Amino acid sequence: MFTQKKDIPQLSFIAQGCELTGDFHFNGDVMISGKLLGDISTKGNVVVEAGGEVNGDIQCQDISITGLVKGTVQCQKLHISSTGLFEGDAYSEKLEVIDGGQFLGQRHRDAKLNIA
């Protein structure tokens, strides 16, 4: 009669036009099209879309930046698209910057903290 719930990957979305301030903790993936001032931590991935802005520290598995991120990032892989701009310190095993993308800061190969 009752079935056990399956773990459904969670997706949190900050829509264009939204402006949030604070420290945010998520369990799944996060997509940001609006503006966020504060720190983000998640066990999933983060996508900052074109027009999206984050001013704060981010701890996640992978991050893809098409918009703007200023702060310290701790992740397995940092991807900056042709329109993306990252400014700060990056602690990541892998870094990919597509032609036109901008990386302003320092990259450290080892993770600063363990991402669980």
Side-chain angles (χ1 to χ4, degrees):
M1 180 172 186
F2 293 101
T3 59
Q4 193 172 13
K5 282 187 174 181
K6 295 180 181 177
D7 287 337
I8 299 173
Q10 297 178 356
L11 173 65
S12 298
F13 180 66
I14 311 295
Q16 186 176 14
C18 291
E19 293 187 26
L20 302 175
T21 301
D23 293 333
F24 302 92
H25 306 279
F26 301 97
N27 288 323
D29 294 344
V30 181
M31 184 177 290
I32 300 167
S33 294
K35 295 180 182 181
L36 195 144
L37 176 60
D39 298 340
I40 300 172
S41 66
T42 183
K43 296 178 182 178
N45 301 322
V46 173
V47 175
V48 180
E49 295 189 319
E53 295 181 22
V54 176
N55 191 341
D57 298 341
I58 301 173
Q59 182 178 354
C60 61
Q61 285 297 317
D62 294 342
I63 183 168
S64 178
I65 302 171
T66 306
L68 169 66
V69 173
K70 292 183 179 182
T72 299
V73 171
Q74 300 173 54
C75 60
Q76 298 297 316
K77 181 179 179 182
L78 169 59
H79 171 86
I80 303 171
S81 75
S82 61
T83 60
L85 169 62
F86 173 78
E87 185 177 330
D89 287 332
Y91 293 84
S92 64
E93 290 182 19
K94 299 176 184 174
L95 171 65
E96 180 179 28
V97 181
I98 303 301
D99 189 26
Q102 297 182 50
F103 180 94
L104 306 171
Q106 291 187 347
R107 180 206 174 209
H108 309 273
R109 272 188 89 139
D110 51 340
K112 188 175 178 183
L113 294 175
N114 235 352
I115 300 168

